[in-house]
Every structure is written in structure tokens, then in C-alpha cells.
Amino acid sequence: MNDGLIEVKVELPTERVGVVAASGYVNNEGGEAIAAAAQGLLDQNRNDLLIDLAGTRIINSIGISILLELLEKVLDRSGSLSFCNLTPTVAKTFEIMGLSQYASIYPDRPSALGDLQARAGGDA
Amino acid sequence: MEVRLEIPSLPRMELTAAQAAGALARRIGMSDDTAEAVGLAVVEACLNAFEHGGGGDVEVVIKIHDGGEPRLVVEVTDSGPGFDPDAVAPPDLGRALHGGRKRGWGVSLMRRLMDEVTIDSSGGRTRISMTKYLEAER
């Protein structure tokens, strides 16, 4: 179990897409760190966000609630929220929630970016 | 074999219980993925106790039974007034994303990640008991 303090990095791989790479335990602090990084991207009008959870093994229910606030905000802006690199436990958590109805889930970052770029019509 | 913990209702203490449960789950042969799922269920039970237990210490007892039907049993007990889980509406993602309540996933997660979950609120305490069978993952 990766129970380390959250580390968040922002990357800008294309013009439209912003990536938030999160490593560590996603509790209230972790969720808020991800949400703050995502808000910075939304403020730059990057409305297609990819959360890369390669370094995250556990998202608790408080972290979930914060991610849902972020998802609501993105959908209100007609943007998209995607996730990649989920561990089996995080994938199971999202499956229990039914999150794939509202957010795209990809096995890894290249497949996520490829699809997001294609959906944007190649403008990225 | 059992591990008994008294943990304070403080941030991240839930991870202490989750790590102990994961270690015992692996000891009876559960996979790393299953042990991690058990750990998340324990995290949620502890968070529930922190939130509704009145702020006192939380007792966590983790037992493994490796004869008969090998299984791991976790009991999380707090001294709060408790709640009736059947009276709480299950979370609804659609409503949550349209201004609705976004909390409340803990009990659903526990029930889906473990094989058996009971919640007993009586006598001034609440105990969540969760069981995961080794056979269930095979």
C-alpha cells in the first residue's frame, strides 16, 4: 500500500489536454491537491483533464467525494475528465461507483492521450 | 492469530489498521490485490468510526482463521451512537454530479470489497464486522 503523502505534478502534453499525475494516498488532502492542480488547468481553459494515478494505490471515500466535485465542475464546462494507470483496487472502486458512465478510463497514458487527441479532432 | 489495535481518531491512522489487515490477509495466502482491497475496506470502516464515533479511540481487531474455510475477519468498534445503514440511501452518482451529496460511498465500498459485512449499533457502541474468504478469490 502506497500510503505516502500526495505528490502532484502537472503536465501539458497537448494544447487542450492537461495532465495531473498523482502519487500517494488520495484522502482529503490528496483529493484537494489533485483538485487544486486541476483547477489551475481549468483556469487556463484546458477543459480536457487526464488524472494519471500511476503512483496511487488507495482512494478513500473522502478523496472520491473531492474527485466527484472536480468531475461535476468539468462536466459543467462541457469538458472531460479521464483517468489512467489504475491499480486493480482503484479500478474496482471506480467500478463500484459506476464512474465510467461519466469519465473515461484508460489503461495507460499513451492510450489516453491518443484517444483524447483523436476526439479533439487532431487539434491538440 | 489476531492483531488488536487501539487507534486514535486522527488523520491517516486508518492506514495503520489497513496495513495490519493487509499483512494478515497475505499470511493466509490472499493475493496482493485482494489484500489491498481488504485494506481499503478497513480504511472505510475506520473513517466511519472516526466520523460517527464521537472522537474517541477506535478498536480494530483483525483475526485470521486458517483452518476449515480460511478467512480474515476484521471488527472495527467505536463508542458513538451509530447509525442504521439500511436507513441511509445508497449513493447515486448521477445525483451527486448534479449538485447532490458526494459523500456516502464507504458502506457501499465495504460491502462490495468484502464477502460479508454486518453493522451493529447497540449499547452505546457501533461495530462493523467484515469477513473475506480466501476461497472467494480463487
Side-chain angles (χ1 to χ4, degrees):
Chain A
M1 181 180 302
N2 181 356
D3 60 355
L5 291 172
I6 194 82
E7 289 182 23
V8 170
K9 291 180 186 167
V10 171
E11 297 172 38
L12 307 173
T14 71
E15 285 181 15
R16 262 186 75 85
V17 178
V19 175
V20 178
S23 178
Y25 180 38
V26 180
N27 55 357
N28 55 331
E29 290 173 4
E32 285 166 7
I34 292 171
Q39 184 61 55
L41 293 167
L42 294 174
D43 290 344
Q44 299 171 37
N45 288 321
R46 288 178 185 271
N47 293 327
D48 293 325
L49 303 183
L50 173 64
I51 312 295
D52 186 339
L53 294 170
T56 291
R57 304 201 66 82
I58 295 257
I59 300 177
N60 75 21
S61 55
I62 302 173
I64 286 170
S65 68
I66 296 169
L67 293 181
L68 292 182
E69 288 173 6
L70 172 61
L71 177 56
E72 185 177 41
K73 191 178 292 185
V74 169
L75 294 177
D76 284 347
R77 299 169 66 120
S78 299
S80 69
L81 185 64
S82 304
F83 296 89
C84 68
N85 284 320
L86 310 186
T87 66
T89 299
V90 174
K92 181 75 175 175
T93 301
F94 286 178
E95 179 208 318
I96 291 168
M97 298 168 61
L99 193 66
S100 62
Q101 298 173 71
Y102 299 94
S104 299
I105 295 168
Y106 299 96
D108 51 42
R109 196 188 294 201
S111 62
L113 291 176
D115 192 48
L116 290 171
Q117 195 163 347
R119 279 201 271 160
D123 66 342
Chain B
M1 180 184 297
E2 73 174 43
V3 170
R4 188 176 292 266
L5 302 168
E6 290 277 345
I7 59 172
S9 297
L10 293 173
R12 303 178 66 83
M13 290 308 299
E14 69 276 13
L15 293 174
T16 302
Q19 285 165 348
L24 288 191
R26 290 181 182 90
R27 184 167 180 89
I28 59 168
M30 290 183 184
S31 67
D32 286 346
D33 289 345
T34 299
E36 202 159 79
V38 166
L40 175 56
V42 172
V43 162
E44 292 303 326
C46 290
L47 292 179
N48 189 83
F50 294 171
E51 188 166 353
H52 302 289
D57 287 355
V58 172
E59 181 187 70
V60 181
V61 179
I62 307 156
K63 302 174 189 173
I64 52 174
H65 303 266
D66 50 10
E69 291 182 280
R71 62 196 181 277
L72 177 122
V73 179
V74 184
E75 295 175 346
V76 178
T77 307
D78 65 67
S79 303
F83 65 102
D84 178 1
D86 295 329
V88 179
D92 182 306
L93 184 58
R95 277 204 298 269
L97 293 175
H98 291 89
R101 183 170 179 265
K102 292 167 181 62
R103 295 286 311 278
W105 295 92
V107 172
S108 295
L109 288 171
M110 285 184 263
R111 287 193 163 137
R112 291 285 303 275
L113 294 169
M114 302 294 279
D115 296 318
E116 295 169 3
V117 176
T118 61
I119 301 174
D120 174 34
S121 292
S122 61
R125 66 169 174 77
T126 296
R127 173 170 292 158
I128 298 177
S129 298
M130 306 186 289
T131 302
K132 188 73 176 177
Y133 292 90
L134 177 62
E135 192 62 32
E137 73 167 332
R138 288 183 174 161

